[in-house]
Amino acid sequence: MFSFSKFFLASSLEEAYSELLKNKKNIILGGTSYLRMGNTSWNTAIDLSNLNLNYILEKEDFISIGAMTTFRSLETNSLLKDYFGEIFNTALKDIIGVQFRTNVTVGATVFSKYGFSDLIPVLLALDSKVKLFNGGILTLESFLNESDIRRDILVEILIPKKVCKTSFQCVRKSKTDYSIINLAICKFDNSITIAVGSRPGKAILARKTMDIFNHSENIENEIINAMKYIGNEIPLDSNMRGSKSYRELLLAALLRKGIQEVLN
Ligand SMILES: Cc1cc2nc3c(=O)[nH]c(=O)nc-3n(C[C@H](O)[C@H](O)[C@H](O)COP(=O)(O)OP(=O)(O)OC[C@H]3O[C@@H](n4cnc5c(N)ncnc54)[C@H](O)[C@@H]3O)c2cc1C
């Protein structure tokens, strides 16, 4: 179990950020489910829960999701369903249980760039941006590409407001285990976006495979070609959950299922 010597209930983001910078061992608290898995002794634990960062709001061009929003809120939110179909519910419903998902937060998950995340590929396929307190707004893709973890606070996620067809596919050895591989697809008009996660590395966009579909007159005709291609494009690896070659086979099969789902 983690521990900390001081607790700081922030009354503004400015205050939280300045407290974070005071000591390398100061940390931001999300839902603390992941922090509780470690044994680190921290200096000051900074709580954002008084900052009204638990929201899903419709803005002019974006849907904005506050950092302290829980997975359960994403799963059950009707605005997200209206724009993006069932993708949040499908991706998150098998993570442990309802109580757990009522606690874990969006900001902690995205800021930590977990390779095993089921949420990050969904946000990536939906072309999301992240808003950092100090670093401003940047695309989720460029944020994930940074190898260093910044000293910053993730404030919100911005998803472009486009009604699209979506699909989330994954394989788990058992319910509640981490995905062996996962895949999120978004189809807006005739443009396809594909994100692959649990490779087991951080989620990435399958840009060349997307090009195969997006340069074709008939998406369905390209499925077999893209299934052969995606395993070469996406760097995959082995870990305790599955071998690289197993992931290659799964990825091709999940791609076919996902594309067929967004075409229906
Ligand atoms: C047992 C277990 C099983 C899991 N299984 C899955 C799974 O199958 N699929 C899946 O997708 N996920 C899974 N997860 C991950 C989970 O869904 C969350 O992504 C994770 O717990 C982080 O959320 P949290 O709110 O608990 O973060 P915390 O534990 O509170 O924080 C995690 C890190 O994020 C930092 N942080 C928190 N908020 C912010 C912020 N706003 N800005 C900057 N930094 C911040 C913290 O300082 C800390 O370093 C699992 C987690 C656990 C513990």
Side-chain angles (χ1 to χ4, degrees):
M1 178 63 85
F2 80 120
S3 61
F4 46 86
S5 39
K6 282 175 266 167
F7 175 78
F8 183 81
L9 183 60
S11 54
S12 68
L13 276 166
E14 290 76 10
E15 212 179 71
Y17 181 65
S18 101
E19 196 63 30
L20 180 68
L21 296 189
K22 281 182 187 164
N23 187 310
K24 278 190 180 156
K25 295 214 92 183
N26 289 358
I27 41 149
I28 302 291
L29 302 177
T32 73
S33 290
Y34 206 80
L35 282 168
R36 273 178 272 165
M37 302 267 286
N39 287 319
T40 310
S41 301
W42 299 97
N43 183 47
T44 302
I46 304 160
D47 187 356
L48 307 180
S49 53
N50 267 3
L51 304 186
N52 298 321
L53 293 174
N54 182 355
Y55 57 80
I56 301 171
L57 293 174
E58 184 164 12
K59 302 277 176 68
E60 199 175 331
D61 297 323
F62 292 98
I63 291 175
S64 64
I65 301 175
M68 293 298 280
T69 306
T70 68
F71 280 22
R72 185 66 182 157
S73 300
L74 299 182
E75 247 178 289
T76 54
N77 184 268
S78 58
L79 183 62
L80 294 177
K81 203 169 282 183
D82 290 346
Y83 278 94
F84 313 121
E86 290 294 327
I87 193 163
F88 284 97
N89 178 39
T90 311
L92 304 179
K93 69 179 170 39
D94 289 325
I95 302 176
I96 312 278
V98 171
Q99 281 173 313
F100 181 85
R101 300 195 302 275
T102 305
N103 180 57
V104 293
T105 58
V106 173
T109 301
V110 175
F111 193 82
S112 303
K113 307 178 185 177
Y114 300 122
F116 57 77
S117 175
D118 294 300
L119 175 64
I120 293 174
V122 172
L123 295 172
L124 195 55
L126 295 177
D127 196 20
S128 305
K129 292 188 163 72
V130 298
K131 183 173 173 186
L132 303 173
F133 176 75
N134 186 50
I137 296 176
L138 62 163
T139 65
L140 174 59
E141 187 183 21
S142 52
F143 178 66
L144 292 172
N145 281 341
E146 295 177 354
S147 48
D148 292 341
I149 294 278
R150 298 180 182 224
R151 287 299 274 170
D152 210 333
I153 300 173
L154 194 149
V155 179
E156 62 181 357
I157 302 290
L158 304 167
I159 312 180
K161 252 172 53 178
K162 297 185 284 196
V163 176
C164 46
K165 299 266 286 191
T166 56
S167 174
F168 178 84
Q169 303 290 331
C170 72
V171 172
R172 297 171 197 272
K173 277 201 175 129
S174 67
K175 205 168 175 324
T176 77
D177 196 4
Y178 289 146
S179 295
I180 299 170
I181 189 136
N182 58 30
L183 174 101
I185 302 180
C186 167
K187 178 174 173 287
F188 175 67
D189 288 340
N190 271 332
S191 173
I192 298 269
T193 310
I194 302 165
V196 182
S198 284
R199 308 175 288 110
K202 280 184 285 188
I204 53 174
L205 289 175
R207 286 200 173 275
K208 291 179 182 155
T209 308
M210 284 154 55
D211 283 346
I212 294 176
F213 291 118
N214 293 335
H215 293 153
S216 169
E217 295 288 304
N218 186 327
I219 292 174
E220 196 157 20
N221 286 351
E222 300 297 338
I223 293 178
I224 300 292
N225 187 17
M227 284 172 70
K228 288 182 194 145
Y229 192 82
I230 195 163
N232 296 325
E233 177 187 4
I234 299 293
L236 299 171
D237 216 332
S238 304
N239 69 356
M240 63 187 286
R241 290 196 168 70
S243 66
K244 181 177 173 180
S245 51
Y246 183 45
R247 283 194 163 91
E248 269 167 21
L249 293 170
L250 292 178
L251 181 56
L254 295 185
L255 177 68
R256 177 171 56 192
K257 263 180 99 175
I259 293 290
Q260 282 168 343
E261 203 169 287
V262 296
L263 291 180
N264 285 331

